[in-house]
Amino acid sequence: MSKATVTRLFIGGGLAVIAGAILAIAAVSVAIANNVFVMNGPDIVALRGSALAWSMLPLGIVGGLAIMGGLIAGLVAWIGALLNTWQLESKTWFAVLLLLGIFNFGFFAMIAYLVAGPDGTTDAAVRRAQVAAQATPA
């Protein structure tokens, strides 16, 4: 997976998370403002069944699904970045991406990779071309 593909996937996933969060927060805010929730102190104990309640439910679900899809896209982008950096001769970027991802700092590792990381697919293509050029007799 090329760095351009990883970048598009990571940014698209981030935008999906933001859009889903906005949609879910808007649905809950409208429901709270119109007294859809029956409260007992800080606890929600019931819902008032109204047309508004039933129309906010799908919006909240779509928002949640968009958030989940964006998070999955971010995970796939991280795995793509790992596969991309594995092709490099120096494994420093791979180790940094892997360790930061494992220790729950993968977002910051991906931002650093997108800003300054190398593209392992172009390095691999250059190495293949050099090997092919050396293998062909002149």
Side-chain angles (χ1 to χ4, degrees), residues 31-58:
I32 289 172
N34 290 299
N35 293 324
V36 170
F37 300 118
V38 177
M39 305 291 288
N40 184 10
D43 299 328
I44 299 173
V45 294
L47 296 175
R48 287 187 179 89
S50 64
L52 180 67
W54 286 106
S55 63
M56 290 299 111
L57 182 65

Side-chain angles (χ1 to χ4, degrees), residues 13 16-17 64-74:
V17 167
L65 290 174
I67 292 170
M68 286 177 29
L71 293 175
I72 290 170

Side-chain angles (χ1 to χ4, degrees), residues 34-129:
N34 290 299
N35 293 324
V36 170
F37 300 118
V38 177
M39 305 291 288
N40 184 10
D43 299 328
I44 299 173
V45 294
L47 296 175
R48 287 187 179 89
S50 64
L52 180 67
W54 286 106
S55 63
M56 290 299 111
L57 182 65
L59 289 178
I61 290 172
V62 169
L65 290 174
I67 292 170
M68 286 177 29
L71 293 175
I72 290 170
L75 177 66
V76 170
W78 177 68
I79 292 170
L82 285 173
L83 293 174
N84 192 352
T85 55
W86 179 255
Q87 298 174 5
L88 300 170
E89 285 188 35
S90 172
K91 302 295 183 215
T92 306
W93 273 101
F94 175 78
V96 168
L97 280 172
L98 180 64
L99 290 175
L100 287 177
I102 287 172
F103 291 116
N104 217 14
F105 294 107
F107 177 78
F108 300 111
M110 285 298 294
I111 295 297
Y113 173 73
L114 296 180
V115 170
D119 190 359
T121 57
T122 57
D123 289 345
V126 168
R127 282 194 306 259
R128 276 187 246 121

